[in-house]
């Protein structure tokens, strides 16, 4: 398909218009057609391995997630469907629900047998809700009954106690609209929203279940489904409840995008890529956003272009399991070849009419392009640091955990690092981990494990963790411009215990990583080779400092920096750090001063 011409007057940052989004959606949908089953009920995409749910489930996943993209594409053009996307999916819908279970090679797995089918039911239901006049209302009664029968088990309690509750909510919203089991659907909506309410911590942030997992699921699930349901149901009470939360979240979220368009790679399910654009579009769709229309499109188009320009699709036009191209360490066990097509959520902006200001206003710069910022996110224990000179975003993590990895006795690279950025790691090879403070016990570096937040404030965030029995490490990050102060107070470690602080892992030709000792470390900075990262195929180099504990209480302080500036000044020139007992006194290069006592 030809690519529409760029419009640099309307879109000075990306060049893209609504026509580019429509063309991108069509290319993605046309590329999967050769992989449809004969009855078009399954999309069996090629991949290195099936998910843990099996190949049949993966085929349903490929169908459901591309159906959501077809629904957004068609609903956004008010039923205009020149490529016949909906007709093909209508055939698949009928074939997939004709015979329950696995009796027919085209049949969709039942939710009672395959838990993943509950996840995919949400995309099926949302697609049907969005395209009801052009698809559902034109189906014969028998097909509608079979589809409803397949969807109804999603109205039961969620088998997974996290964002999965919202899949039943989404199915219930469609069934309620369609007049099917309306009382049961209403009860599911109430129960699902009540459970998710338990995880709301304020200022626009949810935890993804009874843990401290803060990641992109806030944007593409925990806000996405309730707000979109309230909008589609035309329920002002619900929208008044959830809309301001979305607005508050977007006020932080917009700071997580690089000038290149890259979202911050942290957490899990990163193979969904430009699904990160869904929440900003949703804010524009419902009016609950702090972003101007031009900033919304700049963010969303920048994110879509970022991935498509860097090889997110292969030579067949298929989305791969990775970040830029394929990257196996990024893939969870639950991910199959069709999983990346949840990126379809990022096309939510197509529901906005062509004349909406989000499509017609000139693009405006992102926060990372406008000014240096250091922004604490108190509910999640995070500290966001951006620099306008290079448009780079860094996230300092003093509150995000992943309970399942912690229970397994190992650190999840997507949650346990002290810092993440839009242009680095995390490393996934053998030790050393990037952006990690470790004690060396029996020749091995300790893991971080669950981090307990210890507060945030202007320019800082802190936490504590227990790397060994009887040992506590209280950590703090202070940031200003591109400079970072990293402090770790070690309590209860045996005398002479070795410690190590690592910095940013970078590729040759990438941003510059700096690390400088202030207190407790030896004067030499080691350059350690580490494994590849999602930002590039080659090895990385990670700076590291070493020291040893002295007595029951030892304080270690270092200066760090990650920058895309050419030939940057040493980070030691950016701050003067003095320590009095447990209190840090930092004077930054511009004369600004920060004082932080450590617990």
């Amino acid at each position: 398909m030809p690519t529409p011409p760029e419009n640099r007057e309307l879109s000075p940052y990306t060049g893209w218009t609504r026509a580019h989004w429509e063309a991108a959606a069509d290319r993605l949908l046309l590329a999967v057609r050769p992989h449809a089953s004969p009855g078009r009920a399954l999309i069996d995409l090629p991949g290195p391995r099936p998910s843990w749910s099996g190949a049949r489930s993966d085929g349903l996943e490929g169908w459901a997630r591309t159906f959501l993209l077809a629904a957004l594409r068609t609903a956004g053009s008010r039923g205009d469907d020149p490529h016949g996307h909906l007709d093909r999916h209508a055939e698949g819908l009928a074939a997939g629900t004709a015979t329950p279970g696995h009796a027919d090679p085209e049949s969709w797995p039942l939710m009672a047998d395959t838990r993943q089918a509950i996840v995919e039911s949400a995309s099926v239901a949302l697609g049907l809700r969005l395209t009801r006049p052009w698809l559902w209302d034109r189906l014969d009664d028998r097909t509608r009954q079979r589809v409803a029968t397949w969807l109804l088990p999603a109205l039961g309690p969620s088998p997974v106690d996290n964002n999965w509750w919202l899949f039943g909510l989404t199915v219930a919203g469609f069934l309620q609209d369609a007049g099917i089991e309306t009382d049961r659907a209403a009860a599911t909506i109430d129960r699902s929203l009540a459970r998710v309410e338990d995880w709301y911590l304020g200022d626009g942030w949810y935890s993804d279940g009874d843990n401290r997992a803060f990641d992109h699921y806030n944007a593409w699930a925990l806000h996405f489904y309730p707000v979109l349901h309230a909008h589609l149901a035309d329920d002002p009470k619900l929208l008044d409840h959830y809309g301001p939360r979305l607005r508050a979240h977007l006020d932080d979220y917009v700071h997580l995008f690089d000038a290149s368009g890259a979202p911050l790679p942290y957490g899990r399910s990163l193979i969904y890529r430009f699904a990160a654009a869904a929440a900003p579009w949703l804010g524009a769709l419902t009016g609950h956003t702090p972003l101007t229309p031009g900033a919304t499109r700049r963010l969303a188009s920048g994110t879509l272009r970022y991935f498509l320009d860097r090889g997110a699709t292969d030579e067949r036009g298929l989305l791969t399991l990775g970040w830029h191209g394929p990257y196996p360490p990024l893939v969870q066990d639950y991910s199959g070849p069709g999983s990346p097509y949840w990126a379809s959520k990022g096309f939510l902006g197509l529901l906005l009419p062509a004349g909406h200001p989000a499509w017609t206003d000139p693009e405006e710069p992102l926060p990372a392009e406008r000014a240096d910022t250091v922004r604490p996110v108190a509910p999640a224990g995070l500290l966001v640091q951006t620099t306008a000179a290079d448009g780079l975003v860094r996230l300092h993590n003093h509150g995000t955990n992943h309970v399942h990895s912690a229970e397994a006795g190992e650190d999840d690279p997507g949650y346990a690092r002290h810092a993440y950025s839009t242009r680095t790691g995390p490393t996934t090879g053998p030790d050393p981990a990037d952006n990690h403070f470790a004690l060396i016990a029996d020749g091995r570096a300790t893991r971080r494990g669950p981090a307990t937040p210890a507060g945030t404030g202007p320019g800082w965030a802190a936490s504590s963790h227990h790397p060994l029995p009887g040992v506590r490490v209280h950590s703090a990050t202070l940031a200003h411009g591109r400079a970072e102060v990293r402090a770790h107070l070690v309590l209860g470690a045996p005398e002479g215990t070795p410690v190590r602080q690592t910095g940013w892992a970078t590729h040759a030709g990438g941003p510059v990583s700096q690390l400088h000792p202030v207190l407790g470390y030896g004067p030499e900075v080691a350059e350690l080779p580490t494994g590849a990262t999602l930002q590039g195929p080659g090895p990385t180099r990670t700076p590291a400092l070493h020291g040893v504990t002295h007595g029951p209480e030892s304080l270690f302080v270092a200066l760090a920096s990650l920058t895309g500036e050419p030939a940057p000044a040493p980070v030691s020139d950016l701050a003067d750090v003095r320590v009095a007992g447990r209190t840090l006194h930092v004077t930054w290069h511009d004369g600004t001063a920060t004082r932080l006592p450590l617990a």
Side-chain angles (χ1 to χ4, degrees), residues 464-522:
S464 64
H465 67 281
H466 294 268
L468 293 170
V471 178
R472 181 168 71 94
V473 176
H474 183 79
S475 302
T477 304
L478 300 85
H480 186 85
R482 68 173 173 90
E484 313 159 25
V485 175
R486 300 182 177 186
H488 305 280
L489 179 65
V490 181
L491 303 171
E495 176 89 18
T497 301
V499 303
R500 185 185 66 202
Q501 169 74 71
T502 57
W504 298 98
T506 56
H507 292 273
V512 176
S513 175
Q514 297 176 337
L515 191 62
H516 176 76
V518 174
L519 179 69
Y521 300 109

XYZ file of all heavy atoms in Angstrom, residues 464-522:
432
model
N 13.309 1.135 50.727
C 14.194 0.212 51.432
C 13.930 -1.202 50.959
O 12.845 -1.527 50.476
C 14.003 0.317 52.948
O 12.692 -0.078 53.315
N 14.957 -2.052 51.098
C 14.787 -3.459 50.768
C 15.716 -4.284 51.648
O 16.615 -3.747 52.321
C 15.053 -3.728 49.281
C 16.472 -3.528 48.847
N 17.015 -2.286 48.593
C 17.473 -4.423 48.615
C 18.269 -2.413 48.211
N 18.581 -3.698 48.224
N 15.492 -5.601 51.661
C 16.245 -6.513 52.514
C 16.959 -7.537 51.633
O 16.391 -8.586 51.304
C 15.311 -7.217 53.503
C 14.689 -6.288 54.499
N 15.256 -6.022 55.734
C 13.559 -5.541 54.442
C 14.501 -5.159 56.387
N 13.461 -4.845 55.623
N 18.205 -7.253 51.232
C 18.899 -8.170 50.323
C 19.366 -9.458 50.979
O 19.572 -10.464 50.295
C 20.095 -7.336 49.844
C 20.360 -6.382 50.966
C 19.016 -6.060 51.542
N 19.562 -9.432 52.309
C 19.993 -10.603 53.066
C 19.264 -10.620 54.401
O 18.834 -9.559 54.888
C 21.507 -10.553 53.316
C 22.441 -10.691 52.108
C 23.874 -10.362 52.523
C 22.353 -12.089 51.515
N 19.115 -11.772 55.031
C 18.477 -11.817 56.354
C 19.214 -10.895 57.329
O 20.438 -10.937 57.462
C 18.612 -13.289 56.760
C 18.703 -14.031 55.465
C 19.463 -13.128 54.543
N 18.460 -10.060 58.005
C 19.028 -9.163 58.994
C 19.691 -7.931 58.421
O 20.244 -7.114 59.174
N 19.668 -7.756 57.114
C 20.311 -6.606 56.467
C 19.247 -5.767 55.781
O 18.399 -6.302 55.049
C 21.363 -7.050 55.431
C 21.984 -5.823 54.732
C 22.438 -7.897 56.085
N 19.276 -4.464 56.038
C 18.362 -3.542 55.360
C 19.175 -2.494 54.619
O 20.177 -1.997 55.133
C 17.423 -2.856 56.359
C 16.423 -1.884 55.693
C 15.336 -1.465 56.683
N 15.847 -0.578 57.719
C 15.803 0.755 57.639
N 15.302 1.349 56.545
N 16.262 1.503 58.620
N 18.726 -2.180 53.409
C 19.345 -1.120 52.623
C 18.301 -0.040 52.385
O 17.227 -0.319 51.827
C 19.881 -1.637 51.272
C 20.436 -0.475 50.434
C 20.956 -2.689 51.502
N 18.596 1.163 52.843
C 17.723 2.309 52.588
C 18.337 3.093 51.431
O 19.485 3.542 51.517
C 17.601 3.193 53.821
C 16.651 4.343 53.632
N 15.290 4.196 53.710
C 16.874 5.640 53.340
C 14.708 5.359 53.486
N 15.655 6.255 53.260
N 17.585 3.245 50.337
C 18.100 3.852 49.107
C 17.339 5.121 48.783
O 16.137 5.228 49.052
C 17.966 2.875 47.932
O 18.646 1.663 48.187
N 18.043 6.063 48.181
C 17.412 7.310 47.750
C 18.053 7.781 46.453
O 19.249 7.570 46.221
C 17.550 8.395 48.817
N 17.237 8.387 45.616
C 17.710 9.029 44.388
C 17.296 10.487 44.429
O 16.123 10.796 44.677
C 17.128 8.365 43.136
O 17.436 6.974 43.128
C 17.675 9.016 41.873
N 18.245 11.366 44.167
C 17.966 12.790 43.999
C 18.367 13.135 42.571
O 19.397 12.654 42.071
C 18.760 13.646 44.984
C 18.537 13.420 46.479
C 19.412 12.280 46.991
C 18.862 14.692 47.257
N 17.592 13.966 41.890
C 17.878 14.272 40.496
C 17.677 15.746 40.217
O 16.818 16.409 40.827
C 16.992 13.432 39.572
N 18.472 16.242 39.264
C 18.376 17.643 38.850
C 19.045 17.747 37.490
O 20.198 17.337 37.346
C 19.069 18.545 39.864
C 18.903 20.011 39.592
N 17.803 20.719 40.022
C 19.687 20.898 38.931
C 17.919 21.985 39.647
N 19.056 22.114 38.979
N 18.341 18.282 36.480
C 18.898 18.273 35.137
C 19.140 16.846 34.710
O 18.262 15.997 34.812
N 20.369 16.559 34.248
C 20.696 15.171 33.902
C 21.454 14.458 35.017
O 21.793 13.282 34.883
C 21.520 15.130 32.614
C 22.938 15.718 32.729
C 23.704 15.461 31.433
N 24.997 16.124 31.385
C 26.143 15.589 31.815
N 26.146 14.380 32.373
N 27.278 16.263 31.703
N 21.710 15.138 36.122
C 22.497 14.553 37.207
C 21.618 13.774 38.175
O 20.479 14.145 38.450
C 23.251 15.655 37.955
N 22.184 12.689 38.714
C 21.514 11.862 39.714
C 22.466 11.637 40.880
O 23.647 11.373 40.672
C 21.146 10.489 39.143
C 20.470 10.485 37.794
C 20.620 9.133 37.108
O 20.794 8.112 37.827
O 20.616 9.104 35.872
N 21.961 11.744 42.086
C 22.686 11.300 43.275
C 22.041 9.998 43.729
O 20.824 9.951 43.955
C 22.644 12.349 44.402
C 23.308 11.793 45.660
C 23.315 13.633 43.959
N 22.848 8.952 43.845
C 22.349 7.642 44.282
C 22.985 7.310 45.629
O 24.219 7.189 45.724
C 22.688 6.564 43.257
C 22.095 6.827 41.881
C 22.420 5.710 40.922
N 21.790 5.910 39.620
C 21.809 5.024 38.620
N 22.434 3.864 38.798
N 21.220 5.291 37.475
N 22.154 7.190 46.653
C 22.643 6.948 48.011
C 22.043 5.660 48.564
O 20.854 5.386 48.361
C 22.291 8.117 48.915
N 22.872 4.884 49.287
C 22.420 3.630 49.886
C 23.007 3.521 51.287
O 24.238 3.489 51.459
C 22.865 2.426 49.054
C 22.440 2.486 47.628
N 21.181 2.149 47.206
C 23.125 2.898 46.517
C 21.096 2.319 45.886
N 22.258 2.778 45.452
N 22.145 3.479 52.278
C 22.544 3.294 53.670
C 22.357 1.814 54.007
O 21.237 1.302 54.010
C 21.682 4.173 54.580
C 21.951 4.078 56.082
C 23.345 4.595 56.414
C 20.877 4.854 56.853
N 23.467 1.120 54.280
C 23.436 -0.321 54.552
C 23.474 -0.528 56.061
O 24.418 -0.096 56.746
C 24.627 -1.030 53.881
C 24.574 -2.537 54.159
C 24.619 -0.768 52.371
N 22.465 -1.223 56.578
C 22.334 -1.445 58.015
C 22.371 -2.943 58.314
O 21.620 -3.720 57.704
C 21.021 -0.856 58.530
C 20.805 0.649 58.265
C 19.384 1.055 58.612
C 21.808 1.473 59.056
N 23.246 -3.337 59.226
C 23.261 -4.718 59.697
C 24.119 -5.678 58.908
O 24.109 -6.882 59.199
N 24.896 -5.215 57.944
C 25.749 -6.119 57.162
C 27.038 -6.400 57.938
O 27.552 -5.538 58.656
C 26.075 -5.504 55.811
N 27.589 -7.587 57.803
C 28.860 -7.889 58.474
C 29.975 -6.956 57.999
O 29.979 -6.502 56.856
C 29.143 -9.344 58.065
C 27.800 -9.904 57.705
C 27.034 -8.762 57.109
N 30.895 -6.671 58.878
C 32.053 -5.844 58.559
C 32.788 -6.408 57.336
O 33.011 -7.614 57.213
C 33.014 -5.835 59.758
C 34.313 -5.098 59.535
C 34.199 -3.627 59.887
O 33.237 -3.268 60.604
O 35.055 -2.851 59.462
N 33.144 -5.514 56.412
C 33.920 -5.915 55.247
C 33.126 -6.560 54.130
O 33.723 -7.140 53.207
N 31.808 -6.473 54.175
C 30.993 -7.034 53.088
C 31.176 -6.198 51.829
O 30.958 -4.982 51.842
C 29.502 -7.051 53.466
O 29.320 -7.833 54.646
C 28.665 -7.629 52.341
N 31.569 -6.816 50.695
C 31.718 -6.043 49.458
C 30.357 -5.565 48.943
O 29.336 -6.253 49.104
C 32.345 -7.042 48.477
C 32.889 -8.141 49.325
C 31.998 -8.214 50.528
N 30.339 -4.371 48.341
C 29.135 -3.837 47.706
C 29.498 -3.363 46.301
O 30.664 -3.084 45.999
C 28.515 -2.671 48.515
C 28.200 -3.088 49.936
C 29.419 -1.451 48.488
N 28.474 -3.279 45.466
C 28.687 -2.821 44.092
C 27.492 -1.989 43.622
O 26.336 -2.374 43.826
C 28.873 -4.011 43.141
C 29.211 -3.604 41.706
C 29.265 -4.810 40.797
N 27.955 -5.425 40.645
C 27.754 -6.685 40.279
N 28.782 -7.483 40.067
N 26.525 -7.170 40.161
N 27.793 -0.853 43.019
C 26.786 -0.001 42.393
C 27.046 0.018 40.897
O 28.156 0.332 40.449
C 26.878 1.427 42.923
C 26.047 2.466 42.163
C 24.567 2.365 42.451
O 24.119 2.700 43.532
N 23.804 1.903 41.466
N 26.014 -0.344 40.103
C 26.154 -0.243 38.648
C 25.348 0.938 38.122
O 24.415 1.410 38.772
C 25.697 -1.536 37.945
O 24.344 -1.824 38.318
C 26.597 -2.705 38.312
N 25.719 1.396 36.935
C 25.050 2.525 36.306
C 24.258 2.109 35.090
O 23.810 0.961 34.980
N 24.107 3.032 34.173
C 23.323 2.796 32.954
C 24.115 1.934 31.976
O 25.286 2.199 31.703
C 22.977 4.113 32.289
C 22.132 5.014 33.122
C 22.549 6.061 33.892
C 20.704 4.953 33.261
N 21.475 6.664 34.508
C 20.330 6.005 34.137
C 19.711 4.137 32.733
C 19.006 6.247 34.501
C 18.395 4.367 33.090
C 18.045 5.398 33.963
N 23.465 0.906 31.436
C 24.091 0.046 30.431
C 23.827 0.632 29.049
O 22.675 0.823 28.663
C 23.522 -1.373 30.517
N 24.889 0.908 28.290
C 24.720 1.570 26.999
C 25.439 0.811 25.896
O 26.436 0.120 26.126
C 25.253 3.007 27.049
O 26.625 2.995 27.479
C 24.436 3.861 28.012
N 24.929 0.974 24.687
C 25.547 0.427 23.486
C 26.512 1.436 22.891
O 26.384 2.649 23.107
C 24.469 0.107 22.440
C 23.564 -1.010 22.814
N 23.846 -2.321 22.548
C 22.363 -1.010 23.451
C 22.866 -3.090 22.990
N 21.951 -2.318 23.547
N 27.451 0.948 22.119
C 28.355 1.832 21.385
C 27.532 2.721 20.462
O 26.618 2.247 19.758
C 29.357 1.009 20.573
N 27.828 4.015 20.470
C 27.089 4.949 19.639
C 25.795 5.427 20.250
O 25.096 6.247 19.653
N 25.440 4.924 21.468
C 24.217 5.337 22.136
C 24.477 6.477 23.097
O 25.503 7.173 23.012
N 23.596 6.701 24.043
C 23.801 7.757 25.030
C 25.028 7.466 25.893
O 25.519 6.334 25.948
C 22.511 7.739 25.855
C 21.946 6.376 25.654
C 22.334 5.971 24.269
N 25.508 8.493 26.569
C 26.699 8.377 27.398
C 26.293 8.113 28.843
O 25.478 8.832 29.417
C 27.542 9.666 27.326
C 28.740 9.578 28.268
C 27.999 9.911 25.893
N 26.862 7.058 29.432
C 26.601 6.685 30.821
C 27.799 7.084 31.665
O 28.943 6.738 31.345
C 26.363 5.177 30.922
O 26.223 4.759 32.264
N 27.533 7.811 32.754
C 28.596 8.243 33.654
C 28.286 7.806 35.091
O 27.118 7.774 35.484
C 28.741 9.771 33.623
C 29.144 10.327 32.272
C 29.175 11.846 32.260
O 28.516 12.506 33.073
N 29.934 12.421 31.341
N 29.345 7.486 35.839
C 29.203 7.079 37.234
C 30.443 7.572 37.969
O 31.578 7.347 37.526
C 29.070 5.561 37.345
C 28.652 4.971 38.688
C 27.264 5.446 39.089
C 28.694 3.443 38.642
N 30.232 8.243 39.112
C 31.344 8.873 39.824
C 31.192 8.620 41.323
O 30.125 8.846 41.899
C 31.347 10.383 39.545
C 32.389 11.145 40.302
N 33.718 11.135 39.949
C 32.292 11.951 41.401
C 34.402 11.897 40.789
N 33.564 12.396 41.674
N 32.264 8.159 42.005
C 32.162 7.896 43.443
C 32.159 9.193 44.251
O 32.876 10.141 43.937
C 33.422 7.081 43.728
C 34.412 7.538 42.679
C 33.587 7.829 41.456
N 31.351 9.204 45.302
C 31.313 10.340 46.232
C 31.721 9.909 47.628
O 32.570 10.529 48.271
C 29.908 10.978 46.255
C 29.826 12.056 47.340
C 29.562 11.567 44.894
N 31.134 8.810 48.124
C 31.409 8.343 49.481
C 31.280 6.829 49.543
O 30.309 6.255 49.037
C 30.426 8.983 50.467
C 30.578 8.576 51.937
C 31.887 9.137 52.519
C 29.382 9.074 52.759
N 32.279 6.160 50.145
C 32.195 4.731 50.425
C 32.758 3.829 49.350
O 33.029 2.646 49.606
N 32.937 4.340 48.146
C 33.443 3.535 47.037
C 34.915 3.844 46.790
O 35.407 4.939 47.114
C 32.672 3.821 45.754
C 31.190 3.540 45.818
C 30.273 4.584 45.818
C 30.704 2.236 45.854
C 28.905 4.341 45.860
C 29.338 1.980 45.897
C 28.442 3.044 45.902
O 27.104 2.798 45.951
N 35.600 2.897 46.150
C 36.948 3.162 45.689
C 36.929 4.165 44.548
O 35.879 4.446 43.961
